[in-house]
Amino acid sequence: MSPFLKPFLFLYDSTLSLLLLLFNGWSLEEAAAAHERLQADNNVAESEWMQIQYLWRKTRSIVLLPIFKGLVIMCLVLSIIVFFESFYMNIVILFGKLLRRKPEKLYKWEAMQEDVEAGSENYPMVLVQIPMYNEKEVFQISIAAVCSLLWPSSRLVIQVVDDSTDPVVREGVDIEIAKWQSQGINIRCERRDNRNGYKAGAMKEALTHNYVKQCEFVAVFDADFQPEPDYLARTVPFLVHNPDVALVQARWIFVNANKCLMTRMQEMSLNYHFKVEQESGFTRHAFFGFNGTAGVWRISAMDAAGGWKSRTTVEDMDLAVRVGLHGWKFVYLNDLTVRNELPSKFKAYRFQQHRWSCGPANLFRKMTMEIIYNKRVSIWKKFYVIYSFFFVRKVAVHFLTFFFYCIIVPTSVFFPEIHIPSWSTIYVPSMITIFHTMATPRSFYLVIIWILFENVMAMHRTKGTWIGLLEGGRVNEWVVTEKLGDALKNKLLSKVVQKNSCYERVNSKEVMVGIYILGCALYGVINGHTWLHFYLFLQATAFFVSGFGYIGT
C-alpha cells in the first residue's frame, strides 16, 4: 500500500472507533469487536486498492508504454524527415547563389519596347484583377497602386472583382473606380449576386466577360497588395519570350512587420517560405505553389488545366498544381517584391492559418491519385510534389511541431523509462531554427520567442490539417483575413478595439494546453527533471499569453 494512504487510513480507523464508542456505549468488548470488524473491512479495502494498483501497473506497462514509445519513434522519424527537407532546400539555395542561377539567366528576358510602326501594339494585352470582399480599409490603396502600373493604357485592363456585401464599401469602390476612369484608366468593376465558390468563383466568372478574351495574361493582386510601378515590365517579358512558362510569382514584403511582436513572428515564417521554399522549388523543379496574389498567369495555361476551382480553400495552390501537372514551368522572382499587410489581430491570424493548413491537406487528399497517374511529368517531379511539397511541408511539419514539442515531450515526464534522445530535442530543432532564421537575420534575437509562438500556432495548423485530411465540418470554411490598413493609427478605432471584454479575449484551447504543459512542468520539477521543466515553463507561458489574448494589436 502507498505510504501516503497510511495516515488517512489511521485517521479513518480512529474516527470510526470513536463514533462506535459514542453510539454503542462504553463497552470495551463491543468496541473491540467493532474494531476487529473495521480492521477486516480495511484489509479488504487495502486488498482491493492493491489490485487497482496492480491493474494500473499492468495497463501502464502493457498498453500505455508501448503506445507512447511508438509515438516517440514516429516523432523521431518525422524529425529526421523535416530536418533533411529543410537542409536540402537550403543546400539548393546555396548552390543556386554560388552558380548565380538567376531567372534572367535561366529564361529569356528582354524588356518590352514600343515598335516603330506598331507603337504600343507590340505589348501584349494584360488583365489585372483585384479580388476583394468588404475591404473597407485597403481598397483605395490597392486600386491606386494597380492604376499606377507602367504599361500602355491601351494594352491594360483593370478589373475590380468585388464580392462586397457592405453597401458603404460598394459605394466607395464605385467612387474610386470613377475617379481613375476620369483619368483615362481602363478600369471596371465586376460584381455577382452571390458568393458561390468565394474568391475562386468570383475570379472564374470575371474571366468569362467578352473583353477578357483579348487578354493573354492576367495579374492578380489581393486588396491589400501594392505592386511597384515596374511590376508588369519585369514579369510579363518572361511570359512573352518563354512559351513554356505559365506563371511568374513575386515575393511578398510587409508594410506592418514592425507593428507588433506577432507581425515580427509572421515575417520570419513567411520570409522562410518565400526565400527558401519557393525559391528552392523554382531553382530545382521550376515548380512552386502560387501564393494567390502578386503573380502573373498565362490565361491559356489556366484554361488548359481547368481554370479556377472552388473545391478547397486554397484555390491558388489547386490551380498551380494542376497547371504544373500539365508540364508548364513557373518562374519565381525573389528580387521583385510586392508590399502587403500582415494580420495584426490574433483572431484574424488564427483564421488565416486554419485556412492555410486545412486547404493544402484537403487538396493533398483530393489530388494524390491524380498526381500518381499523371503521364505529362516525370516520376521525379511527381515524387517531389507528393512527398516534399505536400506531405513534408503541409502535413508532417505541423504534426511534428505540435505533437512532439507540445504533447510528447511534456508527457515524457510521466514515462521516465522511455528516453527521448537529445539530438531530437536540442540539435535537430536548433539546426532547423537556424535554417528558418537565416531568411530574416534582423530578427535573430527573437528566435526563442519565435519558436514558442510557432509551437502555439502549430496547434491550429495541426487541427486544420486533420480537418482537411478527414474532410471535417470546417473543411470549406472561408473567413476573409481582416486588414486594417492605417486604421490602427485612428484613436477612435483603438477605443472600439479596447471595448472587448476579457472573456471575449480568452482562447480556451490555448489555455487548456497551457495548463497541461504547466502541470507537466511542475511534475518534472518535483521528480527531478532538471532541464526539461525550463522549456515547459516557457512553452506554457507562451500558450497562456496567447490564450488570454495578450498578443497582437
Side-chain angles (χ1 to χ4, degrees), residues 249-261:
Q249 172 76 58
R251 178 165 61 91
W252 298 3
I253 58 173
F254 313 102
V255 296
N256 65 333
N258 295 322
K259 178 68 69 175
C260 61
L261 192 58

Side-chain angles (χ1 to χ4, degrees), residues 6 118-119 182 185 202-203 207 216 222 282 302 345 378 392 396 406 419 427 463:
K6 290 183 178 179
S182 65
I185 302 297
M203 302 276 278
L207 289 174
E216 297 180 55
D222 282 353
F282 161 64
M302 297 172 62
K345 290 186 176 181
S378 65
V392 178
C406 299
H419 172 68
Y427 304 117
K463 178 184 175 183

Side-chain angles (χ1 to χ4, degrees), residues 456-472:
V456 173
M457 295 311 302
M459 177 181 68
H460 300 286
R461 294 171 185 145
T462 302
K463 178 184 175 183
T465 301
W466 269 117
I467 293 174
L469 290 175
L470 302 177
E471 290 202 335

Side-chain angles (χ1 to χ4, degrees), residues 199 222 312-316 348-361 460-461 464 474-483:
K199 179 181 175 181
D222 282 353
T312 70
T313 55
V314 283
E315 72 294 326
D316 45 8
Y349 185 52
R350 286 175 61 186
F351 279 125
Q352 182 199 69
Q353 293 303 298
H354 171 82
R355 189 174 78 247
W356 286 6
S357 57
C358 179
H460 300 286
R461 294 171 185 145
R474 293 179 59 195
V475 68
N476 290 318
E477 181 184 55
W478 182 284
V479 179
V480 176
T481 304
E482 182 180 6
K483 300 148 185 110

Side-chain angles (χ1 to χ4, degrees), residues 301-429:
M302 297 172 62
D303 293 338
W308 292 105
K309 292 185 179 181
S310 57
R311 56 180 176 175
T312 70
T313 55
V314 283
E315 72 294 326
D316 45 8
M317 185 182 295
D318 186 355
L319 177 62
V321 173
R322 285 185 283 111
V323 172
L325 292 177
H326 275 69
W328 293 92
K329 296 181 179 179
F330 300 168
V331 174
Y332 174 71
L333 303 180
N334 188 62
D335 295 333
L336 179 60
T337 58
V338 179
R339 292 171 294 167
N340 73 102
E341 179 184 328
L342 293 166
S344 57
K345 290 186 176 181
F346 186 54
K347 184 177 180 180
Y349 185 52
R350 286 175 61 186
F351 279 125
Q352 182 199 69
Q353 293 303 298
H354 171 82
R355 189 174 78 247
W356 286 6
S357 57
C358 179
N362 190 236
L363 184 63
F364 181 39
R365 171 193 173 106
K366 294 180 185 298
M367 290 203 69
T368 300
M369 299 310 298
E370 181 180 344
I371 297 170
I372 292 174
Y373 290 117
N374 183 277
K375 297 181 180 180
R376 296 185 180 92
V377 298
S378 65
I379 295 177
W380 171 242
K381 189 168 185 178
K382 289 191 286 186
F383 174 78
Y384 168 77
V385 174
I386 292 176
Y387 172 77
S388 180
F389 182 78
F390 273 120
F391 173 70
V392 178
R393 301 184 206 171
K394 313 302 180 186
V395 178
V397 68
H398 302 324
F399 284 115
L400 173 68
T401 306
F402 178 63
F403 279 117
F404 189 46
Y405 300 113
C406 299
I407 300 297
I408 298 299
V409 171
T411 308
S412 66
V413 300
F414 302 114
F415 297 93
E417 305 94 328
I418 297 178
H419 172 68
I420 299 179
S422 57
W423 62 260
S424 66
T425 55
I426 300 176
Y427 304 117
V428 166

